[in-house]
Amino acid sequence: MSDDTSKALFERAKRVIPGGVNSPVRAFKSVGGDPVFVDRAEGAYLFGANGAKYIDFVGSWGPMILGHAHPAIVAAITSAAARGTSYGAPTELEIRFAEKVIALYPSMEMVRAVSSGTEATMAALRAARGYTGRDLVVKFEGCYHGHADFLLVKAGSGAMTLGIPDSAGVPARVAEGTVTLPYNDVPALEALFASRGKDIAAVILEPVVGNMGVVPPKPGFLEAIVSVCAKHGAVSIFDEVMTGCRVARGGMQERAGLRPDMTCLGKIVGGGMPLAAYGGKRAIMEKVAPLGPVYQAGTLSGNPIAVSAALALLERLDGAVYEKLEALGARLQAGFERSLAAAKVTGCVQRVGSMVTLFFTEGPVTDFASASKADTKRFAAWHRGLLQRGVYWPPSQFEAAFLSAAHTEADVDAAIAASEAALRD
Ligand code: HOZ
């Protein structure tokens, strides 16, 4: 596929936007080549400004669980826009959104709408600190919770991809307020609480990591987080921005049968619009202004267009969607595993439902250290091979790919065939 168009657009973009992109991993820096500039998207497909059609396994990094431009969601957006794009005043739509989220996530007794996953985690942690009167935050190496200063410490996603897990511009005294531990390491968690338990406000984690590639929790890890926090009076926070309504309608907490103290949601829950949410136990959420002293606000929070899109999406998430996603995910995983074996290439496919990563390392990948062993050059070559064959895969070894209910078995088989060929390039 000729990519003169992408090249020309990228050159133009780089003159006026840092790195030519509005979010770092989009720049293809770790895989080489020019990013695809998108003209439009429909169902499981992206159509590039270069005229090419791609089977999309990025899905806007998660939200597009029903595929792009779903007619019901487009209709909801259109009709909401005709009624005004933003009011800065409450609407009945926001109540319906909160009621829906609480119905799906019973651990969330109250919920606040915000505009991005970054805002959700930032606000949840502020509420946790306000509630406990403690300052220390615990996160896990390779988990990414948005770009708030105190969370850009040993962070995954683009920060890991670009080799800057500890961002410049974060004051040392701010970073010192965050302690990091290896993911899946219960003894390390217990040891930290034994020594500093009285100072810890909250433990935040991705209950399935998507931001260092897909890394599932080991049996007992999530349970340990919830119980250790409860024992020491700290707040457990599941960042389900990626896993929420993705690994199950009620997220990973539904699959695990757990009720964390707080939950952060975004992506799917936002209907593919700039909408996210945080919430949790009533006693914690009652600390949030105007009820309590923890301040958090936003002109576009609960925006009527975004909330309308979210409601239209959420009401379409039935059991059939998740059955289809599981079947497609299993098919993709088996096919990729066959392609690795046939090409005699070392790799492992990690998957939870419709979140998938092919790691170019023996595996299993259980934490930041094992993820870091992946052969990123091999990944880059494979990624280029997929792209040349019309498969749009996340341009980083350390990101999850996503299936949607709009994908077909034929789309998945095309990706498997592209992988087979790419591994032989
Ligand atoms: N943080 C997103 C992936 N984990 C990337 C968002 C984007 O670059 O659009």
Side-chain angles (χ1 to χ4, degrees):
M1 278 162 208
S2 150
D3 246 344
D4 291 349
T5 311
S6 299
K7 189 171 284 307
L9 287 171
F10 196 33
E11 289 310 314
R12 194 172 136 207
K14 282 192 281 192
R15 285 197 282 275
V16 287
I17 304 172
V21 289
N22 281 314
S23 191
V25 281
R26 297 180 197 174
F28 277 41
K29 210 166 169 181
S30 71
V31 292
D34 303 313
V36 174
F37 281 71
V38 177
D39 176 44
R40 67 184 181 90
E42 193 180 329
Y45 309 112
L46 283 187
F47 298 86
N50 58 1
K53 178 181 176 183
Y54 301 91
I55 308 171
D56 179 21
F57 290 94
V58 177
S60 188
W61 304 94
M64 296 302 154
I65 191 164
L66 297 181
H68 294 280
H70 187 287
I73 299 173
V74 173
I77 290 171
T78 312
S79 106
R83 300 166 70 89
T85 56
S86 177
Y87 315 128
T91 62
E92 196 246 346
L93 285 169
E94 291 162 86
I95 309 172
R96 281 173 48 206
F97 176 71
E99 288 170 345
K100 183 74 184 171
V101 169
I102 289 167
L104 294 174
Y105 295 82
S107 68
M108 299 171 82
E109 294 167 356
M110 293 184 102
V111 62
R112 183 47 83 73
V114 290
S115 298
S116 72
T118 290
E119 271 191 69
T121 54
M122 212 168 62
L125 282 160
R126 187 179 301 134
R129 284 169 157 160
Y131 173 72
T132 57
R134 304 171 181 175
D135 287 345
L136 208 60
V137 166
V138 179
K139 77 176 280 290
F140 293 91
E141 294 164 10
C143 283
Y144 175 75
H145 305 288
H147 62 87
D149 278 354
F150 66 106
L151 291 169
L152 285 178
V153 183
K154 301 225 171 95
S157 189
M160 183 173 180
T161 304
L162 298 173
I164 44 172
D166 301 295
S167 173
V170 174
R173 67 178 184 285
V174 172
E176 278 160 17
T178 304
V179 177
T180 59
L181 295 174
Y183 196 77
N184 272 324
D185 191 339
V186 175
L189 178 77
E190 288 171 342
L192 178 68
F193 268 93
S195 64
R196 302 185 72 181
K198 286 197 305 296
D199 302 325
I200 298 172
V203 178
I204 187 167
L205 84 163
E206 294 179 78
V208 173
V209 190
N211 283 298
M212 53 179 157
V214 175
V215 179
K218 285 185 181 167
F221 181 58
L222 300 181
E223 288 78 359
I225 304 276
V226 172
S227 68
V228 170
C229 283
K231 183 171 156 202
H232 292 268
V235 175
S236 54
I237 306 179
F238 279 17
D239 174 353
E240 298 230 41
V241 167
M242 210 180 262
T243 52
C245 299
R246 167 59 66 180
V247 298
R249 224 151 54 120
M252 190 57 194
Q253 56 193 267
E254 179 187 303
R255 277 173 87 126
L258 290 170
R259 289 192 177 207
D261 297 317
M262 296 192 83
T263 300
C264 302
L265 297 166
K267 298 196 188 276
I268 293 173
V269 168
M273 296 290 285
L275 173 66
Y278 73 97
K281 291 207 163 117
R282 187 171 293 275
I284 304 172
M285 292 305 288
E286 282 180 347
K287 295 287 177 199
V288 176
L291 270 187
V294 174
Y295 200 73
Q296 176 269 311
T299 300
L300 293 171
S301 293
N303 174 270
I305 303 178
V307 169
S308 300
L311 289 169
L313 189 158
L314 293 175
E315 72 188 28
R316 282 167 178 79
L317 296 180
D318 57 19
V321 167
Y322 293 95
E323 273 167 37
K324 178 172 184 187
L325 290 173
E326 178 59 33
L328 289 176
R331 191 179 183 96
L332 185 64
Q333 176 169 12
F336 276 4
E337 285 170 349
R338 274 197 314 274
S339 73
L340 285 167
K344 297 194 173 46
V345 172
T346 301
C348 68
V349 183
Q350 299 203 170
R351 176 181 75 87
V352 177
S354 54
M355 295 170 64
V356 188
T357 297
L358 193 168
F359 283 106
F360 284 89
T361 180
E362 206 167 345
V365 174
T366 56
D367 55 16
F368 185 84
S370 47
S372 301
K373 288 187 185 145
D375 182 345
T376 51
K377 285 204 177 69
R378 195 77 187 75
F379 174 85
W382 179 73
H383 183 273
R384 280 193 295 277
L386 292 186
L387 195 66
Q388 279 159 15
R389 295 170 175 90
V391 173
Y392 189 77
W393 196 261
S396 163
Q397 173 69 100
F398 307 116
E399 295 283 0
F402 300 97
L403 285 150
S404 78
H407 284 93
T408 62
E409 289 186 349
D411 293 326
V412 167
D413 291 347
I416 295 166
S419 174
E420 277 167 9
L423 290 171
R424 292 211 174 86
D425 280 348

